[in-house]
């Protein structure tokens, strides 16, 4: 059985951009994967706890913005949003004042 795969370009901003080895990653994911699956894969690829910076359990940390092809996942199905080929922009919560 052959599983379909999709390519995504993931770009990090703000503090994550500074913490990670590079700002943009090309990621190949199996069809049917979710945003949560993608972030776990990015944990593995980067060697950093990316998902811990963005999620608490199955909830997006307030102030976090994840855009899948320009659409905020909070307006879709949150971390359970099915992926589609294209671009993911990741903005971690910002602290300060």
């Amino acid at each position: 059985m052959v599983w379909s795969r999709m390519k995504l370009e993931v770009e990090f901003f703000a503090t994550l951009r500074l913490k990670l080895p590079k700002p943009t990653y090309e990621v190949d994911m199996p069809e049917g994967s979710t945003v949560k699956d993608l972030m776990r894969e990015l944990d593995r690829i980067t060697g950093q706890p990316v998902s811990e910076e963005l999620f608490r359990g199955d909830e997006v940390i307030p102030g976090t913005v994840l855009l899948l092809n320009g659409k905020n996942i909070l307006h879709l199905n949150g971390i359970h949003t099915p992926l589609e080929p294209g671009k993911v922009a990741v903005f971690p919560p910002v602290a300060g004042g």
Side-chain angles (χ1 to χ4, degrees), residues 6-13 16-17 20 23-29 33-39 42 50 54-55 64-73 76 78 81-92:
M6 68 182 103
K7 292 202 180 294
L8 293 112
E9 178 185 338
V10 182
E11 186 169 5
F12 292 95
F13 295 90
L16 277 176
R17 188 178 204 120
L20 298 174
T24 305
Y25 292 82
E26 293 284 331
V27 183
D28 188 41
M29 294 293 294
S33 296
T34 65
V35 170
K36 185 175 184 176
D37 298 327
L38 173 64
M39 291 305 134
L42 285 159
V50 175
L54 308 171
F55 309 135
T64 299
V65 176
L66 282 108
L67 303 176
L68 175 59
N69 293 323
K71 295 178 231 150
N72 190 325
I73 66 161
L76 301 171
T81 300
L83 295 174
E84 54 191 49
K87 186 168 183 171
V88 178
V90 181
F91 298 86

Side-chain angles (χ1 to χ4, degrees), residues 31-66:
E31 195 129 337
S33 296
T34 65
V35 170
K36 185 175 184 176
D37 298 327
L38 173 64
M39 291 305 134
R40 284 187 178 154
E41 178 65 5
L42 285 159
D43 288 349
R44 187 189 69 73
I45 292 169
T46 65
Q48 299 289 322
V50 175
S51 60
E52 290 178 17
E53 301 255 353
L54 308 171
F55 309 135
R56 292 287 178 263
D58 280 352
E59 298 294 319
V60 177
I61 294 173
T64 299
V65 176
L66 282 108

